[in-house]
Amino acid sequence: MPKLPRLTAQEAESILLKAGFQLIRTKGSHRIYMKEDKRIVIPFHAGKTLHPKIVKEIFEALED
């Protein structure tokens, strides 16, 4: 698998919204997105990049 890109929460959010995910709810600094039966949780912290496991989870959800 190729190396994953480094994403901020804002970049990940725009990718998910373009793919048809909807913001379901917010709890603290975490935003929960859903599309059909797939749920993605993104922690929003200003100026920080997402952990590679979260980025991998996002791209796996986009493939399905």
Side-chain angles (χ1 to χ4, degrees), residues 6 8 19 22 24 26 28-29 35 42-43 46 51-52 56 61-62:
R6 297 174 58 94
T8 63
Q22 293 182 338
I24 299 301
T26 302
S29 62
K35 179 180 177 182
I42 298 180
H51 192 277
K56 183 178 179 186
L62 295 176

Side-chain angles (χ1 to χ4, degrees), residues 1-8 11-16 18-19 21 35 38-42 50-64:
M1 181 175 202
K3 192 172 183 180
L4 294 171
R6 297 174 58 94
L7 297 176
T8 63
E11 293 168 339
E13 179 182 42
S14 68
I15 290 170
L16 288 175
K18 287 178 185 175
F21 281 80
K35 179 180 177 182
K38 298 175 210 142
R39 183 182 69 143
I40 303 288
V41 180
I42 298 180
L50 295 174
H51 192 277
K53 287 183 180 179
I54 296 172
V55 175
K56 183 178 179 186
E57 181 180 305
I58 291 168
F59 283 107
E60 286 176 351
L62 295 176
E63 289 176 355
D64 296 336

Side-chain angles (χ1 to χ4, degrees), residues 23-32 41-45:
L23 177 64
I24 299 301
R25 63 189 173 95
T26 302
K27 185 172 184 181
S29 62
H30 291 74
R31 295 183 186 177
I32 295 93
V41 180
I42 298 180
F44 266 74
H45 300 286

